[in-house]
Amino acid sequence: MLESGALSEAVILVGGQGTRLKPLTCYLPKPMLPVLNHPFLEHTITYLKGYGVGDITLALNYLPEAIQGCLGDGSRLGVSLNYAVEASPLGTAGAVKNAERYLDSTFAVLNGDIFTDLDITDMLAFHRRKGAKVTIALTRVDNPSAFGVVETDSDGRVERFTEKPGPERITSNWINAGTYIIEPEVLGYVPENSHYMFERGLFPLLLELNEPVYGYPFSGYWLDMGTPEKYLCLNCDLLLNKVSNHLIPGLGRESISCGEDVIIHPSARVTGPVVIGSRSQIGRRASITGPIVIGADCYLGEDAGIEEAILWDGVSIGAGARLKQCIVGTSCRIAGGEQVVDCVVTQGDSGLPNRGRLRVD
Ligand code: GTP
């Protein structure tokens, strides 16, 4: 086991379907949803690579082929990818136990649906300084009732976990941010081939055993992409450069970034920030008002107008249609003249588009 030196290994937890994102996740696992036209996982992988973490294991159970087929051995992204596939979900800690054969030094674990600019090098230095067996990144939220609250002493040592506390049980606004640094011997406490969670199983057990578990508070960007609204928000934040990304550098309020062979009619009005995928066509007098992401092979008809929207690949918007605050799934067609506001539009089994609400409670 390495006691010093840089971090080189990580596990990304790529779990369930993400029930609050259905139907966007019927055919795509949540971490493969396109963000700036790249699968979300590519952002996480390039983030880790930026910290020199090049040996990455994806712990998977839902639609594993979709992920393996797209990311392969990782060489396209300049990392080495391993896959630990569960026959049935093993829980957060059980999934990492299932990847144990790929882990032989201090490693990071990341929830596969979190976008953050947390400084992993600084977190590792904190972990080593404290002599921790597990360090949990902590982020501050106004209302922690939907999260796992973590209480620490003045030195940062964890004293208590409270999962999803009701208003009367909220004792801290610092929550588990879903990024951990872990010493490999800790996996000795995790049962093999059993469903076992970090939050309700391993971490409370380590406290009982008086093992050193620390909380690392940070104040950077943190977003859980668990609902359509949050997913839209993440894309907008990246377009506006509220947080930077490694895949399309240089984004900002005015930016217009186009893939290959994009055709924009000279009379169309494009206001940034906008990302447009390859071969898409923007028709006569169409108007695009960012933040907007348009996928590859999309078509915007004459006089169509879109504002704050994410269009996946192959979307077609009829002449004069208006879209605002929408997510439109692959190959959907919006008829000419339609008005679509605050919606998630996906292709139904009948071939006709289904509409759902953007905001779910
Ligand atoms: P989902 O919406 O079901 O994805 O999970 P969640 O957002 O409610 O998060 P939860 O706290 O249950 O899980 C934290 C992270 O671990 C998420 O990225 C999950 O996808 C992932 N995860 C949860 N359970 C499992 C599991 O059994 N196996 C694997 N590989 N990952 C899991």
Side-chain angles (χ1 to χ4, degrees):
M1 185 193 72
L2 290 175
E3 290 281 328
S4 58
L7 200 69
S8 62
E9 297 176 346
V11 179
I12 306 177
L13 292 167
V14 185
Q17 188 176 6
T19 37
R20 289 165 301 158
L21 272 161
K22 270 194 221 169
L24 289 171
T25 49
C26 279
Y27 307 105
L28 268 186
K30 178 164 56 166
M32 293 303 284
L33 297 193
V35 171
L36 301 182
N37 286 338
H38 289 268
F40 180 78
L41 264 179
E42 289 191 8
H43 291 274
T44 313
I45 290 168
T46 52
Y47 157 79
L48 283 169
K49 188 183 158 210
Y51 285 100
V53 182
D55 194 355
I56 300 171
T57 302
L58 303 183
L60 316 173
N61 55 65
Y62 179 66
L63 300 176
E65 307 79 18
I67 297 176
Q68 287 168 295
C70 172
L71 299 174
D73 64 2
S75 49
R76 181 170 58 81
L77 296 169
V79 298
S80 166
L81 283 184
N82 309 301
Y83 296 93
V85 181
E86 300 142 58
S88 61
L90 290 174
T92 45
V96 175
K97 178 77 176 177
N98 189 48
E100 194 172 15
R101 61 191 177 283
Y102 299 119
L103 302 168
D104 50 25
S105 59
T106 307
F107 60 91
V109 173
L110 276 70
N111 283 0
D113 43 13
I114 301 290
F115 198 104
T116 180
D117 59 3
L118 157 72
D119 181 340
I120 292 202
T121 305
D122 193 58
M123 181 171 169
L124 179 68
F126 173 95
H127 175 82
R128 295 238 159 91
R129 218 166 42 239
K130 301 293 182 186
K133 289 277 174 64
V134 170
T135 298
I136 303 168
L138 306 179
T139 186
R140 220 183 129 81
V141 292
D142 290 338
N143 178 7
S145 58
F147 301 99
V149 170
V150 183
E151 284 176 63
T152 62
D153 68 14
S154 55
D155 189 40
R157 191 163 175 157
V158 175
E159 293 183 315
R160 197 169 303 108
F161 296 99
T162 316
E163 275 302 307
K164 303 192 170 123
E168 69 296 343
R169 289 175 62 227
I170 293 174
T171 44
S172 160
N173 288 71
W174 290 97
I175 60 153
N176 177 346
T179 300
Y180 317 117
I181 293 180
I182 298 181
E183 295 302 321
E185 69 257 30
V186 162
L187 293 179
Y189 294 116
V190 180
E192 303 233 15
N193 294 318
S194 306
H195 190 276
Y196 198 63
M197 297 294 279
F198 281 126
E199 305 81 342
R200 286 182 291 276
L202 181 65
F203 295 162
L205 174 69
L206 292 175
L207 292 198
E208 263 176 48
L209 297 171
N210 209 24
E211 293 279 16
V213 177
Y214 279 79
Y216 169 80
F218 75 103
S219 58
Y221 187 90
W222 184 85
L223 185 138
D224 172 348
M225 190 195 59
T227 64
E229 193 179 4
K230 291 275 180 60
Y231 166 73
L232 176 62
C233 177
L234 173 61
N235 279 274
C236 294
D237 286 350
L238 287 162
L239 285 160
L240 290 162
N241 202 24
K242 289 188 184 167
V243 57
S244 55
N245 86 95
H246 293 74
L247 295 172
I248 310 186
L251 293 177
R253 202 159 281 283
E254 310 283 314
S255 64
I256 296 171
S257 160
C258 292
E260 286 170 16
D261 302 322
V262 168
I263 301 173
I264 302 177
H265 193 276
S267 62
R269 202 154 37 85
V270 181
T271 311
V274 172
V275 168
I276 306 179
S278 299
R279 299 172 302 282
S280 285
Q281 295 185 33
I282 313 300
R284 203 183 294 268
R285 295 182 307 275
S287 111
I288 299 177
T289 310
I292 296 262
V293 183
I294 296 176
D297 302 300
C298 291
Y299 175 75
L300 225 73
E302 276 186 20
D303 297 304
I306 56 174
E307 200 177 320
E308 203 177 315
I310 311 297
L311 313 186
W312 291 8
D313 293 347
V315 168
S316 162
I317 312 281
R322 299 265 141 199
L323 272 76
K324 189 172 177 184
Q325 295 199 319
C326 287
I327 303 164
V328 185
T330 305
S331 301
C332 282
R333 293 180 176 276
I334 306 290
E338 277 202 75
Q339 305 269 336
V340 188
V341 180
D342 284 348
C343 266
V344 178
V345 185
T346 49
Q347 189 87 288
D349 291 336
S350 60
L352 293 173
N354 275 334
R355 288 192 193 177
R357 284 190 308 137
L358 179 71
R359 292 182 179 81
V360 285
D361 307 317

